[in-house]
Short mmCIF file of all heavy atoms in Angstrom, two decimals:
data_model
loop_
_atom_site.label_atom_id
_atom_site.label_comp_id
_atom_site.label_asym_id
_atom_site.label_seq_id
_atom_site.Cartn_x
_atom_site.Cartn_y
_atom_site.Cartn_z
N PRO A 91 140.83 79.03 79.38
CA PRO A 91 139.90 78.17 78.55
C PRO A 91 138.68 77.76 79.28
O PRO A 91 138.82 77.38 80.50
CB PRO A 91 140.80 76.97 78.15
CG PRO A 91 141.83 76.94 79.24
CD PRO A 91 142.05 78.33 79.63
N ARG A 92 137.59 77.66 78.67
CA ARG A 92 136.36 77.27 79.34
C ARG A 92 136.21 75.76 79.18
O ARG A 92 135.35 75.21 78.55
CB ARG A 92 135.13 77.96 78.73
CG ARG A 92 135.18 79.48 78.76
CD ARG A 92 135.28 79.97 80.21
NE ARG A 92 135.33 81.41 80.33
CZ ARG A 92 135.82 82.10 81.34
NH1 ARG A 92 136.34 81.42 82.28
NH2 ARG A 92 135.78 83.37 81.37
N ARG A 93 137.09 75.01 79.90
CA ARG A 93 137.02 73.59 79.87
C ARG A 93 136.31 73.13 81.12
O ARG A 93 136.42 73.74 82.16
CB ARG A 93 138.42 72.91 79.88
CG ARG A 93 139.34 73.44 78.71
CD ARG A 93 138.73 73.15 77.36
NE ARG A 93 139.74 73.53 76.32
CZ ARG A 93 139.77 74.65 75.63
NH1 ARG A 93 138.87 75.66 75.91
NH2 ARG A 93 140.65 74.91 74.70
N PRO A 94 135.46 72.02 81.06
CA PRO A 94 134.68 71.58 82.18
C PRO A 94 135.61 71.17 83.32
O PRO A 94 136.66 70.60 83.12
CB PRO A 94 133.93 70.40 81.65
CG PRO A 94 133.89 70.59 80.15
CD PRO A 94 135.18 71.26 79.79
N GLN A 95 135.19 71.46 84.51
CA GLN A 95 135.94 71.04 85.72
C GLN A 95 136.07 69.49 85.69
O GLN A 95 135.12 68.81 85.50
CB GLN A 95 135.14 71.46 87.01
CG GLN A 95 135.79 71.01 88.29
CD GLN A 95 136.94 71.89 88.72
OE1 GLN A 95 137.50 72.57 87.92
NE2 GLN A 95 137.27 71.86 90.03
N GLY A 96 137.30 69.05 85.85
CA GLY A 96 137.61 67.64 85.92
C GLY A 96 137.60 66.91 84.56
O GLY A 96 137.78 65.71 84.51
N ALA A 97 137.44 67.69 83.48
CA ALA A 97 137.43 67.06 82.15
C ALA A 97 138.73 66.44 81.80
O ALA A 97 139.83 66.88 82.17
CB ALA A 97 137.05 68.09 81.11
N LEU A 98 138.73 65.35 81.00
CA LEU A 98 139.87 64.70 80.48
C LEU A 98 139.97 64.98 78.99
O LEU A 98 139.11 64.62 78.17
CB LEU A 98 139.80 63.13 80.74
CG LEU A 98 140.98 62.33 80.08
CD1 LEU A 98 142.29 62.81 80.67
CD2 LEU A 98 140.75 60.87 80.33
N LEU A 99 141.06 65.72 78.62
CA LEU A 99 141.23 66.14 77.20
C LEU A 99 142.43 65.33 76.69
O LEU A 99 143.54 65.52 77.11
CB LEU A 99 141.48 67.59 77.14
CG LEU A 99 140.48 68.51 77.86
CD1 LEU A 99 140.97 69.96 77.87
CD2 LEU A 99 139.12 68.40 77.23
N VAL A 100 142.18 64.53 75.68
CA VAL A 100 143.26 63.75 75.06
C VAL A 100 144.25 64.71 74.35
O VAL A 100 145.41 64.55 74.38
CB VAL A 100 142.71 62.66 74.12
CG1 VAL A 100 143.86 61.96 73.42
CG2 VAL A 100 141.85 61.71 74.89
N ALA A 101 143.66 65.67 73.62
CA ALA A 101 144.52 66.67 72.91
C ALA A 101 143.79 67.99 72.94
O ALA A 101 142.58 67.99 72.84
CB ALA A 101 144.79 66.22 71.53
N ASP A 102 144.50 69.07 73.10
CA ASP A 102 143.90 70.40 73.09
C ASP A 102 144.99 71.37 72.58
O ASP A 102 145.93 71.73 73.37
CB ASP A 102 143.44 70.78 74.52
CG ASP A 102 142.62 72.04 74.57
OD1 ASP A 102 143.08 73.10 74.02
OD2 ASP A 102 141.57 72.04 75.14
N ASN A 103 144.90 71.81 71.36
CA ASN A 103 145.91 72.60 70.73
C ASN A 103 146.07 73.95 71.46
O ASN A 103 147.20 74.51 71.67
CB ASN A 103 145.61 72.88 69.29
CG ASN A 103 145.81 71.62 68.43
OD1 ASN A 103 146.41 70.68 68.82
ND2 ASN A 103 145.22 71.58 67.25
N PHE A 104 144.96 74.53 71.86
CA PHE A 104 145.01 75.85 72.58
C PHE A 104 145.81 75.71 73.87
O PHE A 104 146.74 76.53 74.14
CB PHE A 104 143.67 76.42 72.85
CG PHE A 104 143.69 77.64 73.73
CD1 PHE A 104 143.94 78.91 73.17
CD2 PHE A 104 143.57 77.56 75.12
CE1 PHE A 104 144.03 80.00 73.99
CE2 PHE A 104 143.65 78.67 75.92
CZ PHE A 104 143.89 79.87 75.37
N VAL A 105 145.47 74.74 74.69
CA VAL A 105 146.09 74.57 75.96
C VAL A 105 147.58 74.21 75.78
O VAL A 105 148.44 74.84 76.48
CB VAL A 105 145.43 73.46 76.84
CG1 VAL A 105 146.22 73.13 78.03
CG2 VAL A 105 144.00 73.92 77.18
N GLN A 106 147.93 73.33 74.84
CA GLN A 106 149.33 73.01 74.67
C GLN A 106 150.13 74.17 74.17
O GLN A 106 151.24 74.40 74.61
CB GLN A 106 149.41 71.85 73.62
CG GLN A 106 150.83 71.26 73.49
CD GLN A 106 151.28 70.70 74.86
OE1 GLN A 106 150.65 69.83 75.44
NE2 GLN A 106 152.40 71.26 75.37
N HIS A 107 149.52 74.96 73.27
CA HIS A 107 150.18 76.26 72.81
C HIS A 107 150.45 77.19 73.90
O HIS A 107 151.53 77.73 74.07
CB HIS A 107 149.36 76.84 71.71
CG HIS A 107 149.93 78.04 71.12
ND1 HIS A 107 149.62 79.31 71.64
CD2 HIS A 107 150.81 78.31 70.15
CE1 HIS A 107 150.29 80.25 70.93
NE2 HIS A 107 150.99 79.60 70.01
N GLN A 108 149.43 77.38 74.77
CA GLN A 108 149.54 78.33 75.87
C GLN A 108 150.59 77.88 76.86
O GLN A 108 151.35 78.69 77.43
CB GLN A 108 148.20 78.57 76.54
CG GLN A 108 148.18 79.73 77.53
CD GLN A 108 148.55 81.08 76.87
OE1 GLN A 108 147.98 81.39 75.80
NE2 GLN A 108 149.44 81.81 77.45
N LEU A 109 150.65 76.61 77.13
CA LEU A 109 151.60 76.09 78.06
C LEU A 109 153.03 76.30 77.55
O LEU A 109 153.97 76.59 78.34
CB LEU A 109 151.42 74.59 78.35
CG LEU A 109 150.20 74.19 79.17
CD1 LEU A 109 149.98 72.68 79.19
CD2 LEU A 109 150.32 74.75 80.57
N THR A 110 153.22 76.24 76.20
CA THR A 110 154.48 76.45 75.58
C THR A 110 154.86 77.91 75.71
O THR A 110 156.03 78.19 76.04
CB THR A 110 154.48 76.02 74.15
OG1 THR A 110 154.02 74.61 74.01
CG2 THR A 110 155.83 76.13 73.49
N VAL A 111 153.94 78.85 75.46
CA VAL A 111 154.19 80.24 75.69
C VAL A 111 154.59 80.50 77.12
O VAL A 111 155.56 81.26 77.43
CB VAL A 111 152.97 81.08 75.28
CG1 VAL A 111 153.21 82.54 75.64
CG2 VAL A 111 152.67 80.89 73.76
N ASN A 112 153.81 79.85 78.05
CA ASN A 112 154.13 80.06 79.45
C ASN A 112 155.50 79.59 79.90
O ASN A 112 156.12 80.22 80.74
CB ASN A 112 153.07 79.29 80.26
CG ASN A 112 151.64 79.93 80.16
OD1 ASN A 112 151.47 80.92 79.56
ND2 ASN A 112 150.70 79.22 80.66
N SER A 113 156.02 78.55 79.24
CA SER A 113 157.31 78.05 79.60
C SER A 113 158.39 79.07 79.29
O SER A 113 159.38 79.27 79.98
CB SER A 113 157.65 76.70 78.86
OG SER A 113 157.79 76.92 77.47
N ILE A 114 158.21 79.85 78.17
CA ILE A 114 159.11 80.85 77.80
C ILE A 114 158.96 82.06 78.81
O ILE A 114 160.00 82.65 79.26
CB ILE A 114 158.90 81.35 76.41
CG1 ILE A 114 159.15 80.23 75.37
CG2 ILE A 114 159.72 82.57 76.02
CD1 ILE A 114 158.79 80.44 73.95
N TYR A 115 157.74 82.36 79.15
CA TYR A 115 157.51 83.41 80.13
C TYR A 115 158.27 83.12 81.46
O TYR A 115 158.90 83.95 82.02
CB TYR A 115 156.04 83.59 80.35
CG TYR A 115 155.69 84.54 81.55
CD1 TYR A 115 155.75 85.88 81.39
CD2 TYR A 115 155.37 83.98 82.73
CE1 TYR A 115 155.41 86.69 82.49
CE2 TYR A 115 155.06 84.78 83.87
CZ TYR A 115 155.08 86.14 83.69
OH TYR A 115 154.78 86.99 84.78
N CYS A 116 158.07 81.84 81.90
CA CYS A 116 158.66 81.50 83.19
C CYS A 116 160.20 81.59 83.10
O CYS A 116 160.87 82.00 84.07
CB CYS A 116 158.26 80.08 83.54
SG CYS A 116 156.52 79.91 84.14
N THR A 117 160.79 81.20 81.99
CA THR A 117 162.22 81.36 81.79
C THR A 117 162.68 82.79 81.89
O THR A 117 163.71 83.08 82.63
CB THR A 117 162.63 80.78 80.46
OG1 THR A 117 162.36 79.35 80.42
CG2 THR A 117 164.12 81.02 80.17
N LEU A 118 161.89 83.71 81.27
CA LEU A 118 162.37 85.03 81.20
C LEU A 118 162.02 85.85 82.52
O LEU A 118 162.80 86.65 82.99
CB LEU A 118 161.68 85.75 80.06
CG LEU A 118 161.99 85.20 78.69
CD1 LEU A 118 161.28 85.89 77.55
CD2 LEU A 118 163.47 85.16 78.40
N ARG A 119 160.84 85.56 83.07
CA ARG A 119 160.40 86.32 84.27
C ARG A 119 160.96 85.80 85.55
O ARG A 119 161.31 86.55 86.44
CB ARG A 119 158.80 86.19 84.37
CG ARG A 119 158.26 86.81 85.61
CD ARG A 119 158.40 88.33 85.54
NE ARG A 119 157.71 88.92 86.70
CZ ARG A 119 158.27 89.05 87.94
NH1 ARG A 119 159.50 88.64 88.14
NH2 ARG A 119 157.61 89.66 88.90
N TYR A 120 161.22 84.46 85.69
CA TYR A 120 161.63 83.91 86.94
C TYR A 120 163.03 83.26 86.89
O TYR A 120 163.56 82.94 87.95
CB TYR A 120 160.59 82.87 87.45
CG TYR A 120 159.30 83.49 87.69
CD1 TYR A 120 158.20 83.45 86.79
CD2 TYR A 120 159.08 84.16 88.91
CE1 TYR A 120 156.99 84.04 87.07
CE2 TYR A 120 157.85 84.78 89.22
CZ TYR A 120 156.84 84.71 88.27
OH TYR A 120 155.59 85.30 88.56
N GLY A 121 163.59 83.08 85.70
CA GLY A 121 164.91 82.50 85.55
C GLY A 121 166.00 83.56 85.61
O GLY A 121 165.72 84.75 85.54
N ALA A 122 167.23 83.09 85.87
CA ALA A 122 168.39 83.98 85.82
C ALA A 122 168.77 84.30 84.41
O ALA A 122 168.87 83.43 83.61
CB ALA A 122 169.55 83.34 86.59
N ILE A 123 168.94 85.60 84.12
CA ILE A 123 169.37 85.96 82.73
C ILE A 123 170.92 86.05 82.75
O ILE A 123 171.50 86.79 83.49
CB ILE A 123 168.78 87.39 82.36
CG1 ILE A 123 167.22 87.26 82.33
CG2 ILE A 123 169.35 87.88 81.05
CD1 ILE A 123 166.53 88.57 82.00
N PRO A 124 171.54 85.20 81.90
CA PRO A 124 173.00 85.09 81.93
C PRO A 124 173.65 86.23 81.19
O PRO A 124 174.91 86.39 81.39
CB PRO A 124 173.21 83.72 81.26
CG PRO A 124 172.09 83.59 80.25
CD PRO A 124 170.89 84.19 80.98
N ALA A 125 172.93 87.00 80.42
CA ALA A 125 173.61 88.13 79.68
C ALA A 125 173.95 89.23 80.61
O ALA A 125 173.07 89.67 81.45
CB ALA A 125 172.57 88.59 78.56
N PRO A 126 175.15 89.74 80.54
CA PRO A 126 175.59 90.81 81.54
C PRO A 126 174.69 92.06 81.36
O PRO A 126 174.40 92.51 80.25
CB PRO A 126 177.04 91.08 81.02
CG PRO A 126 177.46 89.90 80.28
CD PRO A 126 176.25 89.34 79.69
N GLN A 127 174.31 92.65 82.52
CA GLN A 127 173.54 93.83 82.57
C GLN A 127 172.25 93.85 81.73
O GLN A 127 171.85 94.92 81.19
CB GLN A 127 174.51 95.03 82.14
CG GLN A 127 175.66 95.22 83.11
CD GLN A 127 176.45 96.46 82.85
OE1 GLN A 127 175.92 97.48 82.46
NE2 GLN A 127 177.82 96.31 82.90
N VAL A 128 171.66 92.72 81.62
CA VAL A 128 170.38 92.58 80.98
C VAL A 128 169.34 92.08 82.01
O VAL A 128 169.57 91.17 82.72
CB VAL A 128 170.38 91.60 79.79
CG1 VAL A 128 168.96 91.40 79.19
CG2 VAL A 128 171.37 92.07 78.71
N THR A 129 168.23 92.88 82.14
CA THR A 129 167.28 92.51 83.13
C THR A 129 165.83 92.48 82.47
O THR A 129 165.59 93.20 81.45
CB THR A 129 167.14 93.59 84.27
OG1 THR A 129 166.99 94.81 83.79
CG2 THR A 129 168.47 93.51 85.04
N PHE A 130 165.00 91.61 83.01
CA PHE A 130 163.62 91.54 82.58
C PHE A 130 162.88 92.80 82.97
O PHE A 130 162.98 93.27 84.17
CB PHE A 130 162.99 90.32 83.18
CG PHE A 130 161.48 90.20 82.96
CD1 PHE A 130 160.98 89.47 81.88
CD2 PHE A 130 160.55 90.76 83.82
CE1 PHE A 130 159.66 89.32 81.62
CE2 PHE A 130 159.16 90.63 83.53
CZ PHE A 130 158.76 89.89 82.48
#
Side-chain angles (χ1 to χ4, degrees):
R92 302 302 182 201
R93 307 300 188 264
Q95 176 80 340
L98 175 59
L99 309 172
V100 175
D102 190 309
N103 289 343
F104 171 84
V105 171
Q106 191 58 59
H107 179 268
Q108 190 61 48
L109 289 173
T110 305
V111 174
N112 293 351
S113 69
I114 297 173
Y115 170 80
C116 288
T117 295
L118 301 180
R119 174 68 177 86
Y120 295 99
I123 295 180
Q127 298 186 38
V128 176
T129 58
F130 175 92

